[in-house]
Amino acid sequence: MSVPQEAIESLLEQPGLFKRLNLKDWVWAAIVLAATAFVFVNYGKVMDAYEIGILALSAPGLIGLGWYWKAFQPYALAVAACSLLGIWLYGGDYGNAEQVFGLKFLFSSQSAVMWMSALFVLATVTYFAGLFANNGFTLKTGSAITWAALIMGFTGLMVRWYESYLIDPEFGHIPVSNLYEVFILFCLITGLLYLYYEGRYKNRTLGGFVLLVISAAVAFLLWYSFEKGADKILPLVPALKSYWMKIHVPANFVGYGAFALAAMTSVAYLLKAGGEKRNPQGFTATRLPPLEMLDDITYKAIALGFAFFTIATILGAMWAAEAWGGYWSWDPKETWALIVWLNYAAWLHLRFSKGWRGVPMAWWAIVGLFVTLFAFLGVNMFLSGLHSYGEL
Amino acid sequence: MKNSPTASTRLINFLGSMNLAISLLVVLAIASIIGTVLKQNQPYTDYQIKFGSFWFDLFQSLGLYDVYSAVWFLGILAFLVISIATCVGRNTPGILRELRHFRENVQEKSLRAMKHQFTLPVSMAATEAQTLAQRILASQGFKTRQKAAEDHMVVAGMKGGANHWGYWLTHLGIIVICLGGLMDSRLPLMIGEWQGALKPETRNMPASEVPSVSQLPTSSFSYRGSVDIPEGGSANVIFLPVRDGYFVQHLPFDVEVKDFRVEHYSTGMPKSFESDLVIRDKDLPKPMEATIAVNHPLIYKGVAIYQANFGDGGSRVNLRLHPFNNQYAAQDVEGNIFKDYKLTSSNQQYKLELTDFRLFNINDMEEPDGTTKKTNLGPSVSFKLRDATGQAMEYQNYMNPVSIKGQIYYISGVRSTPAEPFRYLHIPVDPKGGMERFMRFLSNMQDQELVKKSALETTRDSMQQAAVKSPDVENQVVESMVRLTTLFAAQGSDGVMQEITERFPEDKRESASEAFMKVLNASLRSIYQETLKQEGVTGEATDADLAFFDDSLLAIDKISAYGSPWFVQLTNFKHIEASGLQITRSPGKDVVYFGSVMLIIGVFLLFYVAHRRIWVWIKPLENDQSEIVLAGSTNRNLPEFEHYFKRLQETFRQAMVHEVKHVSSTGSD
Ligand code: HEM
């Protein structure tokens, strides 16, 4: 009569983290650890305590990210392979950028970023084509192109990092220091966040919407590099030489990317909600994912963005304390970061305690993107302040 | 009948209400925008010019020039803190209850009314089901309580209570941050101003002469100000900017700047700023030395010293004043930046105010191929020359000759107000690398005897060639040559044009000016020849000599508008830099950081931990059968919970319903 003990055990057994891992996951961890060890052995001598600390923390971070999101593993390996190939092709001579085929047309940072730009635009078109044609294969192709764009973009940043040392060892710095570089970062983070949710919810129909923002960013990036020559690698001004910067900027862009994503899922939400009202059999009502899912992604993205934006703002304050002697100066950039933060805090409160959902919150998330956009770009363009790293 | 709430409950309800919180968040966001749109803490005269006096007064009374210290703005912040505190205080008892109670006393009815609930007949006795349910929940990480009543049993489980910690940590974190900010705020200064005990100084004067109502003692709790200290100099005060004035804050020690260094990249961009400091304090057995750089401050006695910027610290400069008028001799002046010097030996009194010295001047220079390139033009001195009426022109003179399109010049920029761009005077450099030839040429032009002599020679020469002999004509030509040359030397081509305008009617002017220019040119040429001869240059003039002649005329043409009776040449210097230090005492900083950590942890707990409850209500039936009601609730992430509840349901079914025997073949998950 009684239930076999071990059957219950197997039912109840909440498989521990380590049990859920397979061989691939361990290979991944081994690769990350080996790479970390390699970096430490080769460059440990020229790294200071902060850099060693960042390195030590990024290894478990990367391993964890790969374990949590399996698709990240092949992605990271592809980026690593392309970056190493690019670096190898340089062979220590910056002049090779124009000489070597593989650099000139693929992996020099400028070519890689061009590839990224083209692929993102192509992916946008493909996603929309798949959505209109209701064709799963086309949508899948959209995902594949997006992955390719992300590989090229990230490779571009990694190679750019190397190039900065190649031009002049004194110039060398991680490429998160000017508007051109952070725009690439924005495209990459938004794209990665999107692909994460795409995998998680097994739905590709939102790709076109999110990639629309990325394509807009790409358009700006291209204008900015052709018109203003912003892609030139310049040395860092003294104020930017700070460890805080290296974590402050990426954290900020997780926030910006997530907010952008939330705004675009909200656009889809509005289309879907409007479609259901007007014509339940119509295109938007049938093709787009269910409202609950759109609402859920929007909330998750805003929560994630808010958490990272909080960290980024605090890191920014710590950096300001070290560079300018005050953690908060009401400088326009800081103030706008606060405004963005307050705006989303209000959004979250409405959702948490009043349970607001639906159309008004979707509109709010879209307005939030414009507030964010102003904090990100508008402040540098229209207001003057201490944050002049990104003047147009 | 409900009692109507007392006034204090109503107040607490209002202060802790979500509506107020959200309104405050939005109002604060909007208020913050004002300060980013209107540039803060500019000189008040700028605002006055910009807005006109009516709006200026209105904005001033609203505190818009320093929004973030305005009473109403601080009021909003205070309100926010009070609102959060009230909310936390009001919610805490409820949360504690929530965390302590497992609610094992629920009624079956209320479970069945829940959104997530599920009834399952199970093929085992109630006690067995209870043990199993407890094990299932425990294995899912739930803490459980059990209850056995006469006709039913309950297993109540709960997990994710940390979510409530998240609520406390975020909100208390914000309060802690605001308190930390308050500790570092200017509130004491503002109170002092209201009481009239303190008043910011607006005049520009040495710190020691500032009256005591604008001086703050070393014991101040917090401050943030700046001071420029020249190399070799020291200071024990800093200046706290307040609206359009400042306070003088005394430091508990002396800071000396021994050396200041700027390093540059190969592109000319600055790479690092560093100062070697010596701290002198009676509490120190011997002076303490330290080097600070941007992003690497020194902290001593809770006071942090930052490298903020740099400037000139009163560099010593040697100047040679070349008069544009040959009646005066060249003179040398030795002076320091930021000092004034009286200049005589011209027909007017002038005051020379040395304003700046720069070792590097990275400018965009046009290359011969038309592109621009950043080039270092080397040292320059900036000064104002103020005449007896108080009018001043501003100059920037470069020490080294500058090559422009293949020619080399001494250059000097001039303007009458800082709003204008500089206009440049280019003085050609002679083959010996100096200004002698130019100055001699100019001086020769002003030498009546010499001009007359060379005019006579030229005239005779040309008349001989043309086989003309007429003393009258000769006199006339010589006389006009002399007059035109003098005129040009004193007033440039404008003077000559004016003469023409005055002497000839409209229709004759063109031909007259042509003739005049010919005559003038001939005279200037012969004077230039003479100048070369004096210099010892004989033979035909080279192309370079001719180019020099043309450039000299262009320069002389501009002298009358140049506004200075001298060309000031920087001949030597001793660079003394000043290090711009930002000095702060912010005891609230660590409080703010502590609050920030609370906030970050809290936010993650709030978002990524959900408080979940599961109840298993077990009703014994006959034949060792029973029925269970599984119900659950959560406070966050409903979609996720739905998913989770479905899985849990499945687990219960498989574990408790008979078919469980096949579980190993159907597999779990
Ligand atoms: C920026 C300043 C903030 C203010 C002024 C503020 C204010 C408030 C107030 C007054 C309440 C209580 C409402 C009530 O009693 O029903 C509340 C609740 C809450 N706040 Fe905040 N808050 C702030 C920031 C945050 C942040 C940053 C978060 C985290 C993301 C947060 C999350 C919450 C949550 C989860 C609740 C409970 C809602 C519920 O009842 O489920 N708050 N807040």
Side-chain angles (χ1 to χ4, degrees), chain B residues 48-170:
Chain B
Q48 207 146 17
I49 292 166
K50 200 158 157 192
F51 300 124
S53 66
F54 174 75
W55 294 109
F56 171 81
D57 289 344
L58 183 67
F59 289 172
Q60 187 176 18
S61 60
L62 290 174
L64 296 195
Y65 308 133
D66 194 7
V67 170
Y68 308 112
S69 310
V71 179
W72 59 268
F73 190 85
L74 297 179
I76 300 177
L77 276 178
F79 231 94
L80 197 78
V81 171
I82 292 170
S83 154
I84 300 178
T86 317
C87 173
V88 171
R90 205 183 57 169
N91 283 345
T92 294
I95 296 175
L96 288 178
R97 230 177 297 127
E98 198 46 37
L99 285 175
R100 255 192 242 121
H101 295 284
F102 284 72
R103 309 236 183 102
E104 63 272 23
N105 293 321
V106 277
Q107 302 295 311
E108 187 181 356
K109 256 200 316 218
S110 42
L111 288 186
R112 289 193 187 278
M114 284 188 179
K115 184 161 176 246
H116 298 95
Q117 54 86 22
F118 167 74
T119 311
L120 184 72
V122 298
S123 38
M124 56 178 64
T127 43
E128 205 183 333
Q130 183 187 14
T131 324
L132 202 52
Q134 195 276 335
R135 271 175 54 205
I136 294 177
L137 290 185
S139 76
Q140 297 280 313
F142 284 87
K143 280 191 260 170
T144 56
R145 285 285 148 78
Q146 309 193 30
K147 181 186 137 187
E150 248 164 55
D151 60 338
H152 72 274
M153 289 170 231
V154 176
V155 181
M158 171 164 82
K159 79 168 178 183
N163 180 276
H164 297 293
W165 283 96
Y167 169 78
W168 280 319
L169 285 172
T170 26

